[in-house]
Amino acid sequence: QVQLVESGGGVVPAGGSLRLSCAVSGRTFSSYVMGWFRQGPGKEREVVAAIGWGSGSTRYADSVKGRFTINRDNAKNTVYLQMNSLKPEDTAVYYCAARTAWDTSYDYWGQGTQVTVSS
């Protein structure tokens, strides 16, 4: 059983920064493609960023390019999302998720962590 636990959310003023963490337990973390998603109030869930097994391949939503950075530490079974220059529209519950390949669905999800950006 794979378990994902997010942390690092909170309240931050516009222009501020936060780093989210997602600790993964269970099967081999390094074999998973990891993603971060978010769901804002009244909005559908959207993908924010994703990273391949060896950190060499990353993808970002256009809305966060240049502001957010995803990385992973396979030795610590943890994936991170560094969020800079935060905007009120970044307010959402952020989820991490894991899948076995780029072309498969995300099979495992965390419980989410709230990020609130005040204007």
Side-chain angles (χ1 to χ4, degrees):
Q1 183 73 12
V2 178
Q3 294 182 326
L4 290 71
V5 179
E6 302 96 335
S7 61
V11 180
V12 61
S17 299
L18 279 176
R19 188 177 79 157
L20 305 183
S21 301
C22 175
V24 182
S25 62
R27 298 177 64 184
T28 306
F29 169 74
S30 61
S31 67
Y32 286 104
V33 174
M34 300 298 300
W36 283 98
F37 290 74
R38 68 185 181 186
Q39 187 166 17
K43 298 180 181 179
E44 295 187 353
R45 186 174 61 192
E46 61 176 350
V47 61
V48 174
I51 187 167
W53 304 281
S55 302
S57 181
T58 57
R59 299 176 184 176
Y60 295 93
D62 288 342
S63 58
V64 306
K65 281 181 181 176
R67 301 189 298 122
F68 291 12
T69 302
I70 186 171
N71 58 24
R72 65 192 297 164
D73 185 337
N74 288 339
K76 295 183 178 180
N77 283 12
T78 302
V79 61
Y80 304 96
L81 185 68
Q82 177 66 45
M83 306 185 293
N84 299 328
S85 302
L86 283 162
K87 305 175 181 180
E89 52 263 43
D90 294 317
T91 294
V93 178
Y94 284 72
Y95 302 89
C96 69
R99 59 181 174 178
T100 56
W102 285 106
D103 58 354
T104 63
S105 62
Y106 282 92
D107 296 317
Y108 305 102
W109 293 83
Q111 82 290 347
T113 186
Q114 176 71 47
V115 172
T116 301
V117 184
S118 60
S119 57

